[in-house]
Amino acid sequence: MAASSQILRFMYRGIHSNYRQSCRIHSQVECRFWLYSQRSQFHFKQNVPALFQSRHFHESGSRSSRNGSQESGSRSKGFRGYLRSLKWYPIPLAVGFAYISYQQYGHIRRREDRRVAAVQDPTDLLLPDWTVQIYRKLPLRLLSRLWGHIHKAQLPVWMRGPLLRLYIWLFDCNLQEAAIEDLTHYSNLNEFFRRQLKPSARTIDQEHSVVSPADGTVLHFGKVEHNMLEQVKGVTYSLQTFLGRTNNNWWLSKQTLNNSKPPDDENYQQMLLENPEENELYHCTVYLAPGDYHRFHSPAEWEVLHRRHFPGELFSVNPGLVRCIQGLFNYNERVVMSGRWDQGFFSMSAVGATNVGSIRMYMDSELHTNLPGKWKGGLFYDRVFFNETQGAGVAVKKGEIFGEFNLGSSIVIIFEAPRTFSFKVKAGQKIRFGEPLGCFAETDQTKVEDIKVTEMPEAVENGKHKEE
């Protein structure tokens, strides 16, 4: 009895120790993905607990696996065989989420494109007022200032190349046109956004009266009718609100010249014209995408008499949103430069956008945009460039560099021209600065000396200027 009890106690201890050891080893499932010779294979492996890893189970398992492989071989041509041939590998969760988001964005974009194409009345795409009011409550100005601090942060030399090459790939930038192609030269993102072009990269057209002020996309163009401008076809905004309803910028310049009284708002459009009997008022909007050249130039030879700065919102000016918010350009912060050219009134306005709160005009060191704090509706800041001693304003030539954005936004030009003026562009057309926008007639050829692309003066480049 003593011997038998010892044998039973020994067997119990052996079984108990094996059981405890098996509990320490958990089941593992490995799913791996492998693409080999354009054929996917599936491999599924499960490690059973060590309790069953005895010689008996191992041998029986090997025999059953051989029989199973023969049976699965006969079914390999079927769908189950294909699934079993797949071999999976785990990927980072962020990569999978980014891929799914990219696919979903593509579906949403195609769906919106189909919806826009099916709409006959553009006003059906406008967002309701309550949606616009919620959009206005977003801290877009604060985010734009934070973005300004980020893209001015100094980058390590080893990070400049990979980071800027990623930006170039995302937004399809043409680095070969840049005056400096060495990416390590740009110490931060701001310097890359503000990069200069090679003098030979653009040619200023001299046969047409008005050329494009920037690289971008033509959103809309045409005559100003009934005191309204068009953002896109069928979506309008007020000319009075855009330039200023009372004591407008052109009136300040004319008041300095002849001390005349401004007419009421009903005659606002006619008041801007010097020769209303023969001329009309025209406008054109160019959208600068993040990948475009971020500086803008003078579209014609004209004289700057006045600047008006409107603090405001910083809505996105992406074409998809421009068609959905009526009066978007009147909501946004903008800088209106106005004056005259040989045909009469002329103005060029830089409109801010999300992450583009900083607008810089090289001739105006007093201009400061996207300042913190609240502002009242209709608030603006004026500066007159008319010199009473010289009897003139600041003269700029066609193609001369004028100002810059920090990321991309929109340029709106409004000008007086004869009724024979015709545009040479189409809505949605990609255009580069210096290319023709329009002329007075088919035979119009502006006979002026060749104007080279002027570089920014060193004094202005090195001068202190608060941008945000």
Side-chain angles (χ1 to χ4, degrees), residues 292-344:
D292 290 326
Y293 169 60
H294 293 89
R295 303 191 180 199
F296 48 91
H297 299 245
S298 173
E301 185 171 351
W302 61 299
E303 181 183 8
V304 180
L305 299 175
H306 181 263
R307 179 264 289 166
R308 170 164 286 180
H309 170 217
F310 293 85
E313 307 289 350
L314 289 177
F315 292 162
S316 172
V317 292
N318 184 280
L321 190 63
V322 169
R323 68 168 65 98
C324 296
I325 299 181
Q326 188 164 15
L328 185 145
F329 291 150
N330 287 341
Y331 285 122
N332 276 15
E333 184 167 12
R334 58 196 181 276
V335 178
V336 180
M337 309 294 286
S338 61
R340 68 177 312 278
W341 67 326
D342 57 355
Q343 302 300 322

Side-chain angles (χ1 to χ4, degrees), residues 273-382:
L273 298 173
E274 286 190 1
N275 188 4
E277 297 180 356
E278 299 180 1
N279 294 346
E280 296 282 354
L281 207 60
Y282 299 85
H283 72 100
C284 181
T285 304
V286 179
Y287 165 70
L288 285 72
D292 290 326
Y293 169 60
H294 293 89
R295 303 191 180 199
F296 48 91
H297 299 245
S298 173
E301 185 171 351
W302 61 299
E303 181 183 8
V304 180
L305 299 175
H306 181 263
R307 179 264 289 166
R308 170 164 286 180
H309 170 217
F310 293 85
E313 307 289 350
L314 289 177
F315 292 162
S316 172
V317 292
N318 184 280
L321 190 63
V322 169
R323 68 168 65 98
C324 296
I325 299 181
Q326 188 164 15
L328 185 145
F329 291 150
N330 287 341
Y331 285 122
N332 276 15
E333 184 167 12
R334 58 196 181 276
V335 178
V336 180
M337 309 294 286
S338 61
R340 68 177 312 278
W341 67 326
D342 57 355
Q343 302 300 322
F345 173 76
F346 196 98
S347 74
M348 181 168 68
S349 305
V351 182
T354 306
N355 295 333
V356 196
S358 177
I359 303 172
R360 184 178 180 184
M361 300 291 183
Y362 296 143
M363 69 176 64
D364 190 0
S365 60
E366 298 180 4
L367 177 64
H368 306 300
T369 59
N370 195 18
L371 296 177
K374 297 183 179 180
W375 69 95
K376 297 180 180 179
L379 179 67
F380 52 82
Y381 302 96
D382 288 323

Side-chain angles (χ1 to χ4, degrees), residues 178-371:
I180 301 176
E181 299 184 28
D182 183 12
L183 295 179
T184 60
H185 173 80
Y186 304 101
S187 60
N188 52 46
L189 294 174
N190 183 39
E191 291 186 2
F192 182 73
F193 296 154
R194 299 168 52 246
R195 65 190 181 275
Q196 294 185 3
L197 296 182
K198 297 175 182 177
S200 59
R202 299 288 185 273
T203 301
I204 309 301
D205 184 90
Q206 300 299 334
E207 296 184 355
H208 294 78
S209 307
V210 184
V211 299
S212 174
D215 290 10
T217 303
V218 178
L219 284 186
H220 199 69
F221 59 90
K223 290 183 180 181
V224 179
E225 297 180 348
H226 308 294
N227 203 29
M228 301 295 289
L229 305 168
E230 281 192 312
Q231 297 173 183
V232 294
K233 187 174 180 59
V235 180
T236 60
Y237 61 105
S238 170
L239 173 67
Q240 298 174 352
T241 306
F242 186 77
L243 296 180
R245 291 180 59 86
T246 58
N247 290 334
N248 64 83
N249 47 5
W250 179 235
W251 150 244
L252 289 176
S253 302
K254 294 179 70 174
Q255 183 186 34
T256 305
L257 294 174
N258 53 28
N259 293 323
S260 60
K261 294 183 179 181
D264 53 28
D265 289 342
E266 295 181 358
N267 299 323
Y268 188 92
Q269 180 176 341
Q270 294 297 319
M271 180 269 297
L272 295 178
L273 298 173
E274 286 190 1
N275 188 4
E277 297 180 356
E278 299 180 1
N279 294 346
E280 296 282 354
L281 207 60
Y282 299 85
H283 72 100
C284 181
T285 304
V286 179
Y287 165 70
L288 285 72
D292 290 326
Y293 169 60
H294 293 89
R295 303 191 180 199
F296 48 91
H297 299 245
S298 173
E301 185 171 351
W302 61 299
E303 181 183 8
V304 180
L305 299 175
H306 181 263
R307 179 264 289 166
R308 170 164 286 180
H309 170 217
F310 293 85
E313 307 289 350
L314 289 177
F315 292 162
S316 172
V317 292
N318 184 280
L321 190 63
V322 169
R323 68 168 65 98
C324 296
I325 299 181
Q326 188 164 15
L328 185 145
F329 291 150
N330 287 341
Y331 285 122
N332 276 15
E333 184 167 12
R334 58 196 181 276
V335 178
V336 180
M337 309 294 286
S338 61
R340 68 177 312 278
W341 67 326
D342 57 355
Q343 302 300 322
F345 173 76
F346 196 98
S347 74
M348 181 168 68
S349 305
V351 182
T354 306
N355 295 333
V356 196
S358 177
I359 303 172
R360 184 178 180 184
M361 300 291 183
Y362 296 143
M363 69 176 64
D364 190 0
S365 60
E366 298 180 4
L367 177 64
H368 306 300
T369 59
N370 195 18
L371 296 177

